[in-house]
Amino acid sequence: MTADLLIVGSGFFGLTIADRCARELGLQVQVIDRRDHLGGNAYTEVEPETGIEVHRYGAHLFHTSNQRVWDYVNQFTDFTPYQHRVYTTYRGEVFSMPINLGTINQFNRSAFTPAEARAWVAEQASMLTGEPANFEEKAISLIGQPLYEAFIKGYTAKQWQTDPRELSAEIISRLPVRYTYDNRYFSDTYEGLPVDGYTAWLERMADHPNITVTLEADFFDETQPHHKAATVGQVPIVYTGPVDRYFDFAHGDLSWRTLDFETEVLPVGDFQGTTVMNYADTDIDYTRIHEFRHFHPERDYPADKTVIMREFSRFAEHSDEPYYPINTPQDRERLLAYRELAKGEADVLFGGRLGTYQYLDMHMAIGSALSMYDNKLAPHFRDGKAFADHGL
Ligand code: FAD
Ligand code: UDP
C-alpha cells in the first residue's frame, strides 16, 4: 500500500477528509467505494430523456448555520437561492409543512393569532406532564394531540414502522414549529442547491493529484487490493461504512431503514407544482413524491416532461442500503458495545452517518469531518500523535 491514508467511502465525510489531508498536508490519499460512482448518498445524475438532475438516493437540500462549513463548501461550488418548502396531503387536503400558523388555522378553519394558536396547542398537549422522553411525547408536547394524529403519526408509521415511543425525540426535533406564516422547511442561516449539481461539487472535492478514488471496491471483498485484512494495521484508515458491518455484526445488527425509489418520466410539464409533497395518510404506501424540476427553476428544463420519484420506506436487511439509523434503546446499547470494540482498532477512525450510526445532515457530516481532521488527523500526521479515540 503506497498511500499515506485509506478512506473507506466517498461520501461527504470521506471526501472532506480526503480533501484536507491531500490539500493541507500533502498526503497521498486512497479512497475506495463499493458503488460505481463517488459521492455517497448525495450523488445526483441527469435523467437522459429530460436532462433533469435526479437525486438517486432521495432529495438532498443543503442548509447550515455553521459559518466554517459554509465557507468550506463555497470553495467547491456556488449555490442557488433555492429555499425548501414542503406540503403534505392529509385526507384529500393540502397543508403546509412544517407546522406553522397557516397549517394550524387551515386545520381548525380558524383565524387564530399567534397567541391564540399557542394557547390552543398548549391545551391539546395538556395531558402530558414532565419532560417528554420519546418521539411521541415530544411531538405531542410541541404540537398537541390532534395535529400529531393528522400530520405526524401516519407519516411516521410509514417512515419508521417502529413504535413512536421507541423512537428518539431528536427525530421530531428536526422539524420547527412556527407561530408565524413562515413556511420554510429549514431555519438555518444559509441554504441553497449547488448551481451545477451535487455530483460536480463532489467531483471537485476529489479532483487533486494526491487523491485516488477507486470505485466498485468493497472493503470486505478479499479479492480487492484495499480490503480490510490487507490494510488494517498497515496504514491509517478512516472508515465511513456501517460500524456493525466493520465488526462483522459481533454485537448484533444495528437497525436501519432503507428506501425504495420509483422514478417515472411523465409527459406533463408540471406534476405537483412543488418539489416535495408528503403523504400523511397510511392508506397511501409511499411517504412522499419528489418532482425534481422544481429544485432548479433557473434551469432550462423541457416544458412538456417532468421526472417524479415516489419514496417507500422499509426495514433494511444486510443486502440493502442502510439510510436512516432507527436508534432504539437496544441499538444504543449495541452502539456502546461497538464503541468498546473500536478502542482496539489503533489505526482506524470511524466517521460519517454509517460509521457513527447518527442521523447526520450533509453540513453535519462535513463539520464532523473537519473536526476529525483538526483534532485527530492533522496532529497524527504533523506531530506523530496517536489517535486518542476513534471517532465513535
Ligand atoms: P454516505 O453519503 O452514506 O457515504 C458513505 C459511502 O461509503 C457510500 O458511498 C458507500 O457506498 C460507502 N461504503 C459503505 N460501505 C462500504 C464498503 N464496505 N466498502 C467501500 N465503500 C463503502 N442531508 C442534508 O443535509 N439534507 C437533506 O435533504 C438530506 N436528505 C437525505 C435524504 C435521504 C434519503 C438520506 C438517506 C440522507 C439524506 N441526507 C440529507 C443526509 C446525507 O445523505 C448525509 O449527511 C451524507 O450522505 C453523509 O455523508 P457520509 O459520507 O457520512 O455517508
Ligand atoms: N415527519 C412527519 N410528517 C411529515 C414530515 C416529517 O411525521 O410530514 C416526521 C417523520 O417522523 C420524519 C421526521 O419528522 O422522520 C423528520 O422529518 P425530516 O423531513 O427531517 O426527515 P428526512 O428529511 O430526514 O427524511
Side-chain angles (χ1 to χ4, degrees):
M1 170 106 208
T2 50
D4 301 306
L5 176 68
L6 172 64
I7 300 175
V8 181
S10 64
F12 268 118
F13 193 96
L15 290 184
T16 301
I17 299 285
D19 156 61
R20 292 295 76 197
C21 289
R23 290 189 175 84
E24 286 291 310
L25 300 179
L27 301 181
Q28 293 291 333
V29 181
Q30 170 71 54
V31 182
I32 61 168
D33 203 294
R34 65 193 180 98
R35 292 179 175 165
D36 63 2
H37 60 78
L38 59 59
N41 289 343
Y43 172 80
T44 59
E45 60 202 341
V46 172
E47 194 290 316
E49 195 184 327
T50 57
I52 293 174
E53 182 184 356
V54 169
H55 300 210
R56 193 197 282 187
Y57 303 98
H60 276 65
L61 294 313
F62 190 81
H63 54 98
T64 188
S65 296
N66 181 324
Q67 188 66 44
R68 182 180 185 202
V69 168
W70 182 244
D71 293 341
Y72 175 73
V73 300
N74 272 273
Q75 294 174 53
F76 301 104
T77 183
D78 292 331
F79 288 86
T80 69
Y82 177 81
Q83 296 184 338
H84 198 41
R85 289 184 168 77
V86 173
Y87 295 86
T88 185
T89 300
Y90 167 65
R91 294 193 181 164
E93 198 177 336
V94 174
F95 295 83
S96 109
M97 272 305 273
I99 288 165
N100 61 75
L101 194 50
T103 323
I104 296 170
N105 274 328
Q106 184 182 349
F107 184 77
N108 285 309
R109 306 198 130 209
S110 59
F112 290 155
T113 63
E116 287 165 347
R118 273 180 206 279
W120 179 77
V121 165
E123 193 186 317
Q124 306 307 319
S126 59
M127 78 290 267
L128 280 183
T129 49
E131 271 300 293
N134 56 51
F135 180 104
E136 184 168 278
E137 289 177 14
K138 181 75 185 177
I140 293 173
S141 76
L142 289 170
I143 56 175
Q145 188 88 26
L147 293 171
Y148 170 71
E149 303 269 339
F151 299 117
I152 306 297
K153 196 174 177 186
Y155 185 98
T156 299
K158 291 191 284 186
Q159 170 71 11
W160 297 97
Q161 277 177 295
T162 300
D163 184 337
R165 284 163 301 193
E166 286 263 294
L167 292 172
S168 144
E170 278 167 38
I171 296 178
I172 194 64
S173 307
R174 288 169 60 82
L175 298 187
V177 179
R178 299 205 190 93
Y179 292 95
T180 65
Y181 290 95
D182 176 1
N183 65 346
R184 282 180 66 176
Y185 207 67
F186 304 115
S187 308
D188 279 320
T189 316
Y190 302 109
E191 182 178 353
L193 292 172
V195 165
D196 51 2
Y198 279 95
T199 297
W201 168 10
L202 290 151
E203 281 173 350
R204 282 195 284 271
M205 293 179 79
D207 183 16
H208 188 275
N210 288 12
I211 302 177
T212 307
V213 181
T214 307
L215 300 174
E216 297 181 280
D218 191 317
F219 188 54
F220 303 103
D221 175 355
E222 299 207 341
T223 67
Q224 292 290 334
H226 304 110
H227 72 86
K228 187 180 174 199
T231 54
V232 173
Q234 307 297 315
V235 62
I237 295 173
V238 173
Y239 173 82
T240 74
V243 57
D244 52 353
R245 173 71 188 91
Y246 181 94
F247 293 107
D248 216 9
F249 308 103
H251 289 295
D253 290 17
L254 295 172
S255 57
W256 299 89
R257 302 292 295 169
T258 193
L259 300 174
D260 295 317
F261 298 109
E262 272 180 23
T263 307
E264 250 186 289
V265 177
L266 297 176
V268 293
D270 196 348
F271 171 74
Q272 63 183 16
T274 193
T275 48
V276 179
M277 178 64 73
N278 289 354
Y279 286 86
D281 301 302
T282 45
D283 56 350
I284 291 174
D285 288 346
Y286 41 85
T287 49
R288 50 189 174 187
I289 300 182
H290 309 274
E291 186 173 9
F292 292 106
R293 65 177 308 121
H294 294 297
F295 286 117
H296 290 284
E298 79 286 0
R299 289 187 188 165
D300 192 16
Y301 283 151
D304 57 350
K305 283 182 188 155
T306 196
V307 184
I308 64 161
M309 189 167 90
R310 292 188 178 81
E311 189 174 312
F312 301 82
S313 173
R314 62 181 168 80
F315 282 109
E317 308 289 341
H318 282 181
S319 56
D320 293 317
E321 292 288 350
Y323 286 132
Y324 291 97
I326 301 176
N327 205 12
T328 61
Q330 185 187 51
D331 290 323
R332 291 197 276 278
E333 262 175 43
R334 290 181 176 175
L335 184 61
L336 288 178
Y338 286 120
R339 206 169 272 166
E340 280 304 304
L341 282 184
K343 291 182 184 161
E345 302 293 289
D347 284 346
V348 184
L349 296 175
F350 294 82
R353 184 147 159 148
L354 306 173
T356 59
Y357 193 66
Q358 283 186 75
Y359 199 153
L360 300 179
D361 281 328
M362 291 178 280
H363 66 284
M364 297 156 85
I366 293 166
S368 87
L370 291 173
S371 301
M372 178 183 278
Y373 171 78
D374 286 349
N375 300 329
K376 299 194 174 78
L377 291 160
H380 176 77
F381 285 108
R382 280 200 179 120
D383 311 322
K385 290 221 168 85
F387 299 143
D389 66 74
H390 297 274
L392 253 184

